[in-house]
Amino acid sequence: MIQIPVAKPVLDEQEVEAVRRVILSGWVTQGPEVAAFEQEFADFVGASHACAVSNCTTALHLALLAIGVTAGDEVITVSHSFIATANAIRYCGATPVFVDVEADGFNIDPDEIEAAISPRTKAIICVHQLGMPCDLHRIVEIGTRLSIPVIEDAACATGSEILWKGRWEKIGKPHGDIACFSFHPRKVVTTGDGGMLTTSNPEYDRKFRLWRQHSMSVNDTVRHGSKQVIYESYPELGFNYRMTDMQAAVGRVQLKRLPDLVARRRALAELYSKQLVFAAGPRPPVEPSFARSNWQSYCVALPDKWGQRDIMQGLLDRGISTRRGIMNSHLEPAYAEHNSHRVAGTLKNSITAQNKTIILPLFSQMTNDEIEIVVSAIKSELVTPELAIA
Ligand SMILES: Cc1ncc(COP(=O)(O)O)c(C=O)c1O
């Protein structure tokens, strides 16, 4: 039986009450709650525009379309991410170009980007993997110098911060051209499913709003409130990528909780990092000096002699749930076809990161004692000789 799960959303009567209020209002799909959530999210991250959508995958799709990514284009990104990052590029008919991640972290290696650029490069998607901000200074500098827009896949990074021109700023301001967030239950705040796009560019924002609702010329709330009969039109191809008002109402409660959730997660991560320092133990993740992670996940590197699956099974047998390191899209059958992607350089670090790391339990309700239980279980597994694969 699982005693310590890998993650756990914080949801209580406040969220229940918020959904109840929306249901009883009679307006349950995209409407006033979505508009309020967008404004509150924009204020929180310091963005001029925030547009809510159904999830982060659809947010990435709209971001790429707004930039003009189309069939035949290339988009530079990492293979070492949840498959949604690469899939969104393929939805546009474009080709993901995979570059490696840094040796000492899980984010795109800025040193690899320029060599991957071709005449077909239309955008860069960098991922703030597991909530850890990537080196946006260097990535945005490359994008600006070469006129290549930068999309931040901030799926995991709600509440993370970056030191920007001497000030701590929230991920999502955005520092690139567009940032995309996820509110899946494995993230720090959740709406069940849900996503958000932030940008400083009003034209991008206009497109997101149009396309998320089938490009309908007049949205539901305007039509509903009008004293005149309005016939809408559909001037271009769009999608149903809406967030519902029930989800947004939950999101508004979650956003109020966010500072406390992040503070607690940071304290727990610090505790892990202190307790995991022992001989031949796993290597704790490192926060670069320019980054403050929300610790959406806490991922440790395993010493060479440890088998990933064995240690995970050993911990599961003790009631502790873990996950393997982040996947690599290019290793999945969906990417088996030669023309589904291009690999630039080697993906050595990405593959090591997938196979030689594990994600430990971390959620804000976790107690300090539970951290100690996980750490002592890891120590016990370490001394069990049959787990060594060397
Ligand atoms: C890095 C990254 N990008 C995109 C996504 C897709 O998010 P969603 O499930 O909201 O579509 C995820 C989800 O886990 C993710 O981790």
Side-chain angles (χ1 to χ4, degrees), residues 55-57 60 81-82 84-85 127 129 153 155-156 182 184 187 194:
N55 55 63
C56 185
T57 312
L60 288 165
S81 181
F82 183 58
T85 311
V127 183
Q129 195 54 262
D153 181 340
C156 306
S182 172
H184 178 272
K187 310 302 188 253

Side-chain angles (χ1 to χ4, degrees), residues 272-284 303 306 374-383:
Y272 261 141
S273 297
K274 272 192 195 131
Q275 298 206 0
L276 283 171
V277 181
F278 55 88
R283 197 174 71 241
W306 286 18
V374 175
V375 173
S376 57
I378 290 171
K379 284 181 179 162
S380 311
E381 290 304 322
L382 180 66
V383 295

Side-chain angles (χ1 to χ4, degrees), residues 79-93:
S79 173
H80 181 65
S81 181
F82 183 58
I83 200 163
T85 311
N87 281 354
I89 298 168
R90 290 178 68 193
Y91 297 162
C92 303

Side-chain angles (χ1 to χ4, degrees), residues 11 19 24 44 65 68 71 86 98 100 102 125 130 150 161 199 253 261 290 295 344 352 354 360:
L11 295 163
V19 175
L24 295 179
F44 178 78
L65 291 177
F98 295 133
D100 211 358
E102 295 162 307
I125 302 183
L130 306 171
V150 174
E161 294 179 326
T199 183
V253 178
L261 298 182
F290 60 77
W295 296 109
T352 307
Q354 173 181 312
L360 300 182

